[in-house]
Amino acid sequence: MFSTMPILAITALLGLPIVEEGKPRAALAPLDAKAPAEVRRAAGEFQRVLEKMTGTKLPAEIQGDAPIVHIGRDAFVDRAGLQLDRLDEDGFVIHTVDNKHLILAGRTPHATEFAVYRFLQKHAGVRWYFPTELGEVVPKRATFSVGELAEREEPSFHSRLWSSAAPFDGGAWERQNLCRGRYSFHHNLLYVFPPSKLFDAHPDWYPEIDGKRRRPTDDNDHHWQPCCANAEAARYAAEAARKYFDANPEASSFSLGMNDTSASGFCECAECRKLDPTDPAQQKTPRGLPNYSNRFFTFVNRVAEALAKSHPDKYLGCLAYNVTEPPPAFDVHPRVVPYLTAGRANWTDPAIREGDQKLIRQWCAKVPVVGIYDYYYGAGFISPRIFTGLTEESLKFAHQQGVRAFYAEIYSTWSLDGPKAYVASQLLWNVDQKAEALVDEFCRDLFGQAAEPMRRYFRFLEDRWLARPSGSMVMWAGFFDIAQLDLWPPETCRKARSILEEAKKAAAGDEPVVRERVRLYSDGFRQTELWSAVYHGEKSLDSVDAIEGYIAAKTELARLQKDVVQSNPLHIAPIAFEDRAGNLPGASLGKAILRLADRPEAEAVLKRLADPSQPAEVALAARTALFLRKHPEKTTERLANPGIEPEPGKPAEGNLPPGWGTWFRPETPGEAKWTTTAARTGTRGLSIRGAVAGCALQTIPVEPGQRFVGSVYVRGVFRPEAEVSVVVQWQEKSGKWLTAAARPSDRLPEGGSREWTRLCVLAEAPKEAGRLLFTVSAYGQGPDEAVEIDDASLLELPAEDAAAVPVQ
Ligand SMILES: [Zn+2]
């Protein structure tokens, strides 16, 4: 160890000193008054980071014969013969001249910024692992010098663009990690052909649908595509591109991205249909959609040929996705840049991987520049979704085939996404790196003494993603879907938590910044744990303990979101999960509380839950349950024959119990049986077997504002797609359905139950209601599947309602 000291000193002597013993040795070359904003920002960042590293600020004016750092192109740099103009537009040099000048300069101003960041990364060990100062790593040192340098760098992927990696930092993190988009390819045809301007004069540029040219609803309507066979429309699009380039001479590309619609917005005219494949094997895309690639790329080729006459060096970007995913049967103009859309995180599934790779190969054989469009979310996931190994694999594969452009929707939730964006960004610049090594570095630099457990933590998360089942997966599996937590049951969360606890312990003696970083990921994962507790907890709210645990997790989740998540942009998903996800947990709680009404041991918990500090629906359900226990005499049973029994003294005949009706969807199978085997109590119950859609029902006259507790016991085991539930629906007195009114319901858990299970609903008659339909329904039953039904009830609560019941 001690022997390295003299060597370092010699290197410093021989090299170019920048800071020595905390004193500046070099100076920045003064910037030209007309220096572009990017270059000014780069110089400012260079000074800022150097100061953070060494404690001293470099002067920005020449100091005698002190070494000079040139940021961007100045007269000296242009005389140095570095041939910057031969570089890619994102390329740069990191170069020393005579141990006196350090040049950090790109061909373009933004490439100069990249030169500065890359220099700091490679030669000073600086990293920007995630946005904000917490993710910035600047190794401290009093002396900083560099040896002789002659580096030229160009990116592996020309275009490296994230959609909303960090909406809160003005793009700083992306610049620090050398990310920048180059090609335009997004949905754009609706803006190329604004219907308000063009439809009246050129209806035949718009899609023929059901024999008529369709006028889009307005200029922002995405649900249409132009008539691709119309050569005039293509000429017009080329003119639009030409105008755009004349107004924006710096732009390298114009987008012909199709509008964001499915097959339905495409033209049905005879000329368009003539362009589609005649071979039945080619009429569908690999993902089973209609194949409109021939017609779409006929249009794109026409635009490209027309544009090339005046602007041969410009590109036309577009989307090869959905119905235009496979390449067309003919050549595509070489200035067309198609972006292939797919979620390569799904390469866990060999069939998906193979299909995606085939498309990439086919497209790379068609055109010189191909882009890939990926989905790295981020938002939509409340559980970690890390796939750095697949990132490496897919980027290396794509690059090898010739792909040179990348775009991904990411909308990061940084505290869950860990090294995901960092690893991908680094590989996009230089694809010859290993994801493993990048994650190792991430953990080593960020977590100090906790590096080892944190490395294990991220490996554990990635292994969970890789453990997803193959076969049934689609690109969007888990996206804004609470069922993503099937990968994260409580016992799995506990394993991850125990690793985080180790990390916390290991970091205890380390610097505050290290502890704060461990806390960031620990708090991030706390969201997953609590969502998991809520999601999995709701599946079995069958005991007082389970209900209390569920409510505690829900309360804690709300507190975490308010006190921790909302105060830190690194925790905030750019699109809130609750805003977009369906089937959120919570619907079962009120019913589970109502079910406690007949459990003697539930008195104490019901009283706690009835407190006004609880969420309104919880308190109401608890008060109602308490009321049912205390004052059964004040309720009125409104069902006829709730026990599904024969009338006293009359024989049980037929398949319909007195008071009950049944309904089955016309012309579909399904039968009802009034039978002794379906009895839970008494002598008889009702069974519904093999129903595609069927129910047992009663219709009861009601007044608006009346409140009811409905319940029924059911049992039966089903395939997962079958559904058994009790539903309360409403009609006006006339029998007209109140379709907009809430329909309280409760359903049997997926797969059903061998045991009798009580389903409960709390219902309040809406304003226009005249009739209540109490239905016990079955959907999607197999031919041999039956639900047994017994002991139903519809209690009308008195007007002096449960809310008035004293709870103490
Ligand atoms: Zn057409």
Side-chain angles (χ1 to χ4, degrees):
M1 191 65 200
F2 53 86
S3 67
T4 60
M5 294 291 286
I7 295 171
L8 275 179
I10 291 164
T11 317
L13 271 178
L14 292 178
L16 187 153
I18 297 171
V19 174
E20 244 175 31
E21 302 297 337
K23 298 269 174 337
R25 281 290 312 273
L28 294 186
L31 292 181
D32 188 272
K34 281 182 283 184
E38 291 92 337
V39 173
R40 291 185 181 283
R41 193 165 55 196
E45 278 288 272
F46 186 80
Q47 276 183 309
R48 176 186 73 80
V49 174
L50 258 277
E51 189 174 356
K52 193 169 173 183
M53 185 164 75
T54 64
T56 191
K57 190 171 182 181
L58 291 196
E61 54 194 8
I62 307 289
Q63 310 277 305
D65 64 349
I68 301 169
V69 181
H70 301 264
I71 291 178
R73 305 174 73 156
D74 58 19
F76 178 85
V77 172
D78 282 340
R79 278 199 313 272
L82 296 171
Q83 299 187 307
L84 291 174
D85 288 326
R86 293 206 179 166
L87 286 164
D88 176 80
E89 66 179 68
D90 287 358
F92 52 78
V93 298
I94 296 174
H95 218 284
T96 53
V97 178
D98 300 335
N99 271 341
K100 171 105 199 290
H101 301 269
L102 169 62
I103 297 171
L104 308 176
R107 189 183 119 189
T108 55
H110 65 259
T112 289
E113 273 195 287
F114 293 165
V116 165
Y117 288 126
R118 188 70 169 148
F119 169 78
L120 292 169
Q121 184 189 359
K122 283 172 80 174
H123 300 290
V126 178
R127 296 287 187 279
W128 294 274
Y129 286 119
F130 57 83
T132 74
E133 208 182 344
L134 193 62
E136 182 176 79
V137 171
V138 179
K140 298 262 189 292
R141 63 179 88 198
T143 295
F144 178 47
S145 65
V146 292
E148 206 170 301
L149 299 173
E151 298 170 4
R152 293 173 80 79
E153 290 206 24
E154 292 180 329
S156 295
F157 290 84
H158 302 154
S159 194
R160 309 164 303 285
L161 181 63
W162 294 111
S163 179
S164 214
F168 50 86
D169 79 347
W173 182 86
E174 283 153 285
R175 287 192 296 275
Q176 286 157 345
N177 285 280
L178 317 190
C179 292
R180 176 179 171 267
R182 187 175 304 182
Y183 305 112
S184 303
F185 52 86
H186 266 115
H187 309 297
N188 198 39
L189 292 181
L190 70 165
Y191 307 117
V192 173
F193 298 104
S196 65
K197 269 199 203 147
L198 300 176
F199 186 87
D200 287 334
H202 306 283
D204 52 339
W205 294 2
Y206 292 80
E208 181 184 310
I209 286 170
D210 294 334
K212 241 184 96 188
R213 293 288 166 174
R214 213 201 108 194
R215 182 195 288 269
T217 49
D218 57 46
D219 286 1
N220 289 310
D221 179 0
H222 263 276
H223 295 95
W224 63 278
Q225 309 291 348
C227 176
C228 292
N230 191 301
E232 277 304 309
R235 254 194 294 280
Y236 180 85
E239 196 49 45
R242 204 169 277 135
K243 276 189 193 143
Y244 171 79
F245 288 124
D246 290 346
N248 302 275
E250 295 295 310
S252 62
S253 68
F254 180 77
S255 175
L256 293 180
M258 60 187 267
N259 299 335
D260 192 6
T261 175
S262 61
S264 63
F266 273 81
C267 183
E268 296 165 356
C269 84
E271 296 305 308
C272 276
R273 278 186 287 128
K274 236 188 262 170
L275 296 171
D276 293 336
T278 47
D279 175 1
Q282 300 297 318
Q283 285 171 345
K284 290 261 163 20
T285 70
R287 294 186 220 273
L289 299 165
N291 178 0
Y292 292 151
S293 285
N294 281 1
R295 60 161 82 182
F296 182 70
F297 287 97
T298 296
F299 165 78
V300 170
N301 272 349
R302 280 177 179 156
V303 181
E305 279 154 25
L307 179 69
K309 286 178 191 152
S310 58
H311 294 75
D313 57 333
K314 301 295 188 189
Y315 288 98
L316 289 168
C318 66
L319 295 164
Y321 93 128
N322 203 301
V323 294
T324 64
E325 200 171 15
F330 41 80
D331 287 346
V332 176
H333 194 281
R335 302 307 285 188
V336 172
V337 181
Y339 270 71
L340 277 71
T341 61
R344 281 109 200 160
N346 294 315
W347 283 17
T348 44
D349 184 317
I352 292 181
R353 172 198 276 137
E354 205 174 298
D356 283 353
Q357 292 189 344
K358 191 171 164 194
L359 282 167
I360 290 173
R361 269 193 218 102
Q362 289 174 333
W363 268 111
C364 285
K366 279 276 177 206
V367 280
V369 185
V370 172
I372 52 175
Y373 183 135
D374 213 314
Y375 303 95
Y376 270 58
Y377 289 87
F381 290 87
I382 43 175
S383 53
R385 181 176 181 258
I386 293 177
F387 45 87
T388 57
L390 288 171
T391 293
E392 178 184 338
E393 186 190 344
S394 59
L395 291 182
K396 282 187 170 154
F397 174 83
H399 191 263
Q400 206 171 25
Q401 302 307 311
V403 169
R404 290 295 178 269
F406 172 92
Y407 168 78
E409 299 175 19
I410 185 163
Y411 300 88
S412 276
T413 311
W414 290 92
S415 63
L416 281 175
D417 287 343
K420 178 157 74 181
Y422 173 76
V423 168
S425 301
Q426 292 300 314
L427 283 162
L428 288 169
W429 183 263
N430 173 9
V431 80
D432 295 322
Q433 302 183 81
K434 291 241 178 298
E436 276 280 318
L438 290 166
V439 183
D440 287 348
E441 215 179 64
F442 179 94
C443 293
R444 181 199 68 202
D445 290 350
L446 286 174
F447 304 116
Q449 294 171 15
E452 188 279 324
M454 286 306 289
R455 182 69 187 89
R456 243 184 311 131
Y457 171 69
F458 287 117
R459 187 164 289 131
F460 184 83
L461 303 186
E462 183 147 358
D463 285 347
R464 281 316 294 160
W465 182 257
L466 297 180
R468 292 194 315 161
S470 285
S472 60
M473 285 191 318
V474 290
M475 182 138 69
W476 297 102
F479 187 61
F480 282 109
D481 181 353
I482 191 79
Q484 66 183 259
L485 294 167
D486 287 340
L487 268 187
W488 290 98
E491 62 272 22
T492 305
C493 291
R494 275 194 289 277
K495 282 184 196 153
R497 173 54 61 190
S498 75
I499 306 175
L500 285 169
E501 286 303 317
E502 279 182 63
K504 227 185 238 174
K505 266 197 205 119
D510 212 320
E511 291 175 50
V513 68
V514 166
R515 297 203 297 272
E516 202 181 326
R517 289 172 186 147
V518 172
R519 192 179 322 123
L520 173 77
Y521 291 104
S522 175
D523 287 347
F525 188 70
R526 188 81 187 124
Q527 295 197 69
T528 306
E529 274 174 317
L530 292 169
W531 273 111
S532 167
V534 169
Y535 169 69
H536 291 282
E538 187 174 34
K539 293 177 183 172
S540 50
L541 292 174
D542 48 6
S543 69
V544 170
D545 281 355
I547 290 176
E548 291 208 288
Y550 173 88
I551 291 172
K554 235 186 153 171
T555 310
E556 171 67 4
L557 179 59
R559 190 204 60 79
L560 184 81
Q561 286 172 330
K562 182 168 156 281
D563 295 351
V564 178
V565 173
Q566 290 311 320
S567 62
N568 186 347
L570 297 170
H571 287 311
I572 298 175
I575 309 162
F577 185 77
E578 297 89 322
D579 289 354
R580 187 83 79 78
N583 292 327
L584 286 175
S588 304
L589 181 61
K591 300 153 204 169
I593 293 170
L594 274 181
R595 265 182 232 126
L596 296 180
D598 50 10
R599 301 265 191 100
E601 78 278 13
E603 182 82 13
V605 69
L606 283 173
K607 282 183 173 166
R608 264 201 308 285
L609 297 179
D611 191 86
S613 66
Q614 296 287 343
E617 73 278 16
V618 169
L620 179 63
R623 281 167 179 270
T624 304
L626 285 169
F627 181 85
L628 294 175
R629 293 159 80 98
K630 228 181 220 168
H631 300 294
E633 79 288 354
K634 291 193 183 176
T635 62
T636 314
E637 177 60 59
R638 295 292 306 275
L639 290 183
N641 189 13
I644 314 188
E645 296 298 319
E647 283 179 64
K650 287 196 181 166
E653 279 175 348
N655 276 326
L656 266 189
W660 289 85
T662 55
W663 172 89
F664 291 91
R665 183 178 295 160
E667 288 162 52
T668 64
E671 57 165 359
K673 257 198 181 142
W674 187 32
T675 144
T676 51
T677 53
R680 174 178 172 271
T681 60
T683 60
R684 295 219 162 206
L686 189 61
S687 118
I688 293 181
R689 175 180 298 274
V692 169
C695 67
L697 76 158
Q698 290 199 27
T699 306
I700 289 106
V702 296
E703 300 292 331
Q706 281 181 336
R707 293 172 57 247
F708 304 89
V709 175
S711 68
V712 65
Y713 283 88
V714 290
R715 70 174 179 189
V717 177
F718 308 98
R719 300 170 302 165
E721 55 268 39
E723 193 177 318
V724 168
S725 49
V726 59
V727 187
V728 166
Q729 302 173 78
W730 311 97
Q731 293 177 344
E732 291 178 11
K733 270 202 177 73
S734 64
K736 189 177 161 225
W737 289 99
L738 294 174
T739 45
R743 299 161 19 141
S745 68
D746 192 11
R747 61 179 285 192
L748 208 52
E750 189 177 289
S753 164
R754 270 176 218 293
E755 305 298 319
W756 284 105
T757 301
R758 187 163 172 233
L759 304 180
C760 289
V761 289
L762 187 57
E764 180 173 333
K767 241 186 4 228
E768 306 84 357
R771 299 158 78 168
L772 177 158
L773 274 84
F774 181 90
T775 61
V776 186
S777 57
Y779 285 92
Q781 287 180 322
D784 296 327
E785 292 174 343
V787 57
E788 293 175 335
I789 302 168
D790 200 6
D791 297 329
S793 165
L794 181 72
L795 295 177
E796 184 188 330
L797 298 167
E800 49 171 289
D801 64 18
V805 177
V807 293
Q808 292 306 328

